[in-house]
Amino acid sequence: MTERINPRWGAVWAMSLGAFVLVASEFMPVSLLTPIANDLNISNGEAGQSISVAGIFALLTALFLTSIVPKVDRKSILLFFTIFMGISGVVVAFAPNELVLTIGRAMLGICIGGFWSMSAATVMRLVPQISVPKALAILNGGNALSTLIAAPLGSFLGGIIGWRGAFFIIVPLALITFLWLYKSMPNLPTTHKAGHSPRIGTIFGLFKDKQIGLGMLSVTLFFMGQFVLFTYLRPFLEVQTSVSINQLSAVLLFMGFCGLIGTFIIGNILKTRLFSLLIFIPICMAVVSLLITIFAKSLLAMFILLGFWGLLGTSAPVAWWTWLSKVAPAKAEAAGGAMVAVVQLAIAFGASFGGIVFDTFGYQTTFISSSIILFSASFLAFMTYKVSKFS
């Protein structure tokens, strides 16, 4: 009860910084795909697989973490993953070939799965129940801020100090996050009684609930559809829209700025229109992905369309995490692990599938595939609403 009476907003903001660094690390290859591919002598699709690798290891970590460390203080776990994130940044920055790059990205995936699977449950113990939506919005604000800064900054720095230097910037940011978490985060011993910590069976057991199963499937398709397109924006913009490095940075910056705005806007709408957002967002993004193929040559159109894409795509995770806090409040760690697992599976499969299609058939087929998947995500969100036990 003490943890709820005395909210630890400093720890929430420290976790938001951790989320920022993690998301920046995970998706930085998007803005650096071309130089990575050229330097390591691989295709754009193969370079994009580094996102898939991170997603696969994040999935495995999210599924098995609470079974492996059932009694370890949650603060210690978060601190470990923060340091491990910095180490992965060093490995990636100095990778001499695709294999070492893959190892570094796999290390990052472990951090992503560990950090995010604990995040919702940890936030729920840091603030009163009435403040949980606000705390989750702050946590996901780190996600939005990384979208605003990481992609354009990665593109910009990649042109000045190279893609390796851009990746190495993650290391001092991870150290700052570690120190802030160490100072602000209270000790959080496990709340599970002996023999009752979340097991892999507990996580899979959640899917027996129809509303959770449908919701998680919708989440999977949403993130898959998003990353079929998002992963390959840089080569698309460079070849089809003929953008320069500065123009690319400007487009990504505007997309991120719109995402940050969307994260602030969605907080108020969530209180009364949660399912409307879950249904409406993927439909709009599906339409945007189709329009991108039509207006591929227009730089102005790319600013407008990708700005709208960022506004919707970055705010959607806030809605889904809010949904999760409502649908499984008593099983926060198991539900958080399940959510991270399906999201990372979707990202991995989306980036991998998108890479194959992009290399084989080109951008049009890739982006149309993204649209079809996003429409399917919206339909499943509607089905989740129909069986939901709350409005």
Side-chain angles (χ1 to χ4, degrees), residues 282-347:
I283 288 178
C284 292
M285 292 178 68
V287 173
V288 169
S289 64
L290 292 176
L291 291 175
I292 288 174
T293 65
I294 297 173
F295 298 100
K297 302 297 182 181
S298 171
L299 180 59
L300 177 60
M302 291 305 101
F303 266 100
I304 296 171
L305 292 172
L306 292 177
F308 197 48
W309 176 278
L311 178 76
L312 298 168
T314 308
S315 59
V318 182
W320 278 114
W321 279 106
T322 301
W323 168 82
L324 189 70
S325 70
K326 291 178 177 292
V327 79
K331 300 177 181 179
E333 284 195 0
M339 177 71 89
V340 173
V342 299
V343 168
Q344 294 302 325
L345 175 65
I347 291 173

Side-chain angles (χ1 to χ4, degrees), residues 123-391:
V123 164
M124 292 171 70
R125 296 176 64 185
L126 292 173
V127 299
Q129 182 63 35
I130 194 172
S131 300
V132 167
K134 176 183 177 181
L136 289 174
I138 291 173
L139 176 67
N140 283 279
N143 179 358
L145 185 61
S146 69
T147 305
L148 170 62
I149 296 176
L153 186 62
S155 174
F156 177 73
L157 291 176
I160 299 175
I161 59 177
W163 69 269
R164 297 179 187 276
F167 270 104
F168 191 79
I169 289 177
I170 295 300
V171 178
L173 290 175
L175 179 59
I176 294 171
T177 304
F178 175 87
L179 294 174
W180 194 358
L181 281 172
Y182 180 79
K183 294 292 291 184
S184 63
M185 181 75 68
N187 291 327
L188 294 174
T190 177
T191 57
H192 308 290
K193 297 179 180 179
H196 290 83
S197 58
R199 302 290 178 180
I200 186 69
T202 305
I203 294 177
F204 283 114
L206 291 170
F207 292 89
K208 295 179 181 179
D209 186 316
K210 192 172 183 179
Q211 62 175 334
I212 294 178
L214 284 171
M216 291 293 186
L217 187 55
S218 179
V219 171
T220 302
L221 290 177
F222 173 78
F223 280 93
M224 179 183 169
Q226 183 179 11
F227 282 88
V228 166
L229 183 148
F230 180 68
T231 309
Y232 303 97
L233 272 181
R234 174 163 181 164
F236 160 75
L237 290 170
E238 288 179 328
V239 175
Q240 300 301 324
T241 317
S242 302
V243 299
S244 65
I245 289 295
N246 290 336
Q247 289 172 332
L248 174 65
S249 299
V251 171
L252 295 175
L253 181 63
F254 183 68
M255 182 173 68
F257 176 76
C258 291
L260 187 61
I261 295 299
T263 303
F264 286 117
I265 293 174
I266 200 174
N268 294 323
I269 306 175
L270 281 174
K271 298 175 183 177
T272 57
R273 294 288 185 268
L274 175 59
F275 278 105
S276 296
L277 289 169
L278 297 179
I279 296 168
F280 179 72
I281 287 176
I283 288 178
C284 292
M285 292 178 68
V287 173
V288 169
S289 64
L290 292 176
L291 291 175
I292 288 174
T293 65
I294 297 173
F295 298 100
K297 302 297 182 181
S298 171
L299 180 59
L300 177 60
M302 291 305 101
F303 266 100
I304 296 171
L305 292 172
L306 292 177
F308 197 48
W309 176 278
L311 178 76
L312 298 168
T314 308
S315 59
V318 182
W320 278 114
W321 279 106
T322 301
W323 168 82
L324 189 70
S325 70
K326 291 178 177 292
V327 79
K331 300 177 181 179
E333 284 195 0
M339 177 71 89
V340 173
V342 299
V343 168
Q344 294 302 325
L345 175 65
I347 291 173
F349 193 75
S352 181
F353 173 75
I356 294 171
V357 176
F358 192 87
D359 283 347
T360 306
F361 301 105
Y363 78 92
Q364 288 182 319
T365 304
T366 304
F367 292 1
I368 290 172
S369 298
S370 170
S371 180
I372 293 171
I373 297 169
L374 287 167
F375 275 123
S376 301
S378 178
F379 173 75
L380 284 171
F382 174 75
M383 296 302 297
T384 304
Y385 164 70
K386 297 297 289 184
V387 301
S388 176
K389 298 172 184 176
F390 63 92
S391 59

